[in-house]
Amino acid sequence: MSNFCAAPNCTMKSNRSASPFFRFPRDIERCKQWVENCHCKDLEDKTPDQLNRYYRLCAKHFEPSVICKASPYRTRLKDNATPTIFDLSSQLNNPQSRPRKRIKDLSDDEARQMKERKKDSVDQSKISKDYGEGQDDSETNHPSQLTSEEKKHREYLKSLFEVLVVLGKQNIPLNRHTEVVQESDCLTPSNFQALLEYRMNAGGDEELRKRFEMSALNAECCTSTQQRQMMEVCESCIREELLQEVREGHFFSLVTDDVVEISGECHIPIFLRFFDQANCLREEFVGFLPFEGDEETLMERLLNEVTKKWGLNMDYCRGQAHFSSGVHSSKMKAIATKLTEKYPTAVYTPSSTCALNVSLASGVALTGVQIVMSTFKKIESFFNESPSLQLELENAISIFYQGNEEKANDLKEACRTNWTMRHDSFEVAVDVMESLLLCVDCVHDNEDLRWSDQVTHNALEISEALADFEFVAALVVLKNTLSFTRAFGKNLQGPTIDVYFAANSLTAVLHSLNEVLDNIEVYHEFWFEEAVNLAAALEIPVKVPRLYLRKHRPETETELQPESYFKEHLTAPVVSHVIKELNDLFSENHLNALRYLTLVPAVMGQLKFNTSEENNVEMYRNDLPNADTLPAELHCWRVKWKHRGKVTLPSTVHETLQLAEVKFFPNVLAFLRVLGNLPVLGLEDGDASRKRFQMYLENTPDKHRSKSLAFLNIHYNARHDLDFMVDSYIKMYPHNES
């Protein structure tokens, strides 16, 4: 990437100027406009991707009104901003002055206009002063060549950044694998220092070697504070590449995952879902947000991160999904509600990455339900430790299902999958309960000394949870309540045609659940009897939870019966929660959006091309390039596919967007891009970021996690520009001495 401004007659350099530099846009039409305005033939044969990666324009070529100060350390352009201020007159008088940049001939009028614009742009130096971080006007306006020392310093910083990027992408902590530094550890260099020394010894990095030799004995090349600052710069620069793609796609959705602990503090992971310039749907991890304070504080922090720090426009947000569990779920629901009130088009939906039943159960803030969900996580982790443990469970299943081999094989097959996150996880848990308890009890007994102390301890924890009637009762209630939403949730994660019909079946699902709530005494009687029978088979006593009795014994004169307790504190609240959550997740705006799935040709064909999408257009009217022509365009779209011949109908939003002819239907194209952003619709190939995120959490203990290291590791294949990192670091921390 060049450090020079790509405009003719401009001598600005990014490494010697406080004035911000802006990359050429990847969007083909916008990039073409930029090139035309530059009047530079050297740029005309470059592709938009080449221009975006290797060429930049400084702020002097943009009107002040299109430049936004996103943060003290980052400046961005408004959407659709184009450069308009150029000095081409000197090229007319002396065409050989800069043969590197050839320009088009201008008329006298054009030359005069350019001179006037140049005169009006003298005040740009004041603007660049506002954007600068500590550089004076003389340096900004009259940059000189880098001195030898400055070049060496930049090369030194590049070496440090290169090592940091390697450590981050490989998920290697910069320091030792312990937070507490022992006296003996002083004799061992940190991972960062060790890799620098290896680089010096193996690669012949002379500048790095000189710096190291000049430092004190056993001293680190740079302090831990400087390392942290440089890691943050690495993270910010790589994130900026990603955010630029989001801005170019305009529309996006916010997706958050369950709270994770990093360095002893709670954070929520944030993902952005968007279409790139190739119309491919992606969901990318963009960072962690501290999860502290009340709902109002969290919402302000989230909006500040998204809008001011990342430079995104929330008016383009078309969806939001939040997976949370336990005590955190109420805060995330409050945030979702406030976001919807402020931005009505940011439709609240479930996430396609999690089964609906699991999401509904995780959001229930009842002790019994949370015991079930936390035990499920322990079970999943326990049996993933060793294939021998999985084999032990299958042997236990064979014992309990000796007379029903088909059922035994089905359960074994289910247990080989991530069954605790499936749509039918609660049904599987009830069926495998006896086998599961037998398995963990045998492991805990460890009569043949096959298992380690840690494994037996984990088995004991699971056994104690399973052998509690509160767990059994909550599991049975969840199984029966969520049986009404199981097929509905499964269809939501199925083919597009199933999603469309699922949206239309919600009324029937809610009707069934409301009938259960109206007759809760009858349903609870049957469900409680099922729980008692299962407890009897497991030899578990039926009783009111001990914690409740300790808190409320003085307030009760008569003995509380378990059946009454669980009806009031479990069955009725669970059913009510599921009904309310479904109403919140599937608002009228959400259901109207899903009705646009009829734009997908396969769905249209299933409905015999008898659709009327134009009736629900109001919500997204402002997103359409020409809403007045929508009825005629939709008619042509239906006719095209109705008389297609023997062509196979595209069956997903992604397949439809990849069609070459979709660009001739601009309103349909806009609808599909907005619709595909809804988090409820499944990802086809764009979930690599989430998979790497899950791998990071699984492979990294809590105490070793780092926000910046996590970001670099998750974006292992992301492009990184060392020059850009060095420029950013020097501007953000101009007084740091390395």
Side-chain angles (χ1 to χ4, degrees), residues 153-159 161 233 237 721-731:
H153 181 61
R154 289 180 62 85
E155 289 302 316
Y156 167 68
L157 289 177
K158 284 179 68 173
S159 298
F161 273 111
V233 169
C237 291
D721 189 332
L722 294 177
D723 288 317
F724 185 37
M725 291 178 181
V726 171
D727 292 341
S728 301
Y729 179 75
I730 292 175
K731 287 185 177 182

Side-chain angles (χ1 to χ4, degrees), residues 4 71 73 97 111 144 213 216 229 263 296 412 420 482 486 489 540 555 582 620 730:
F4 289 92
S71 73
Y73 306 120
S97 60
S144 60
E213 290 175 349
Q229 292 170 346
S263 302
E296 195 67 34
K412 290 178 183 179
T420 57
L482 297 176
R486 183 179 60 198
I540 299 173
E555 302 174 8
L582 287 176
Y620 297 116
I730 292 175

Side-chain angles (χ1 to χ4, degrees), residues 167-193:
L167 288 171
K169 292 194 173 187
Q170 294 297 132
N171 192 23
I172 302 174
L174 272 61
N175 298 313
R176 303 164 185 85
H177 289 270
T178 177
E179 297 297 325
V180 180
V181 179
Q182 305 292 336
E183 184 177 353
S184 59
D185 291 336
C186 297
L187 302 176
T188 305
S190 66
N191 297 329
F192 178 58
Q193 183 76 10

Side-chain angles (χ1 to χ4, degrees), residues 6 9 57 93 114 120 175 190 224 242 252 255 278 320 348 350 353 395 472 506 514 528 545 580 628 634 699 708:
N9 294 341
L57 294 178
N93 299 327
M114 286 296 178
D120 295 337
N175 298 313
S190 66
S224 58
L242 176 62
F252 65 92
V255 182
Q320 54 172 316
Y348 181 37
T353 59
N395 291 336
V472 175
L506 178 63
N514 279 303
F528 186 75
K580 182 180 184 305
D628 294 335
L634 289 177
N699 298 332
S708 296

Side-chain angles (χ1 to χ4, degrees), residues 12 16-19 125 128 135-143:
M12 298 292 278
R16 295 291 293 172
S17 170
S19 179
S125 60
S128 63
Q135 302 211 28
D136 57 31
D137 290 341
S138 61
E139 185 182 48
T140 301
N141 294 325
H142 304 286

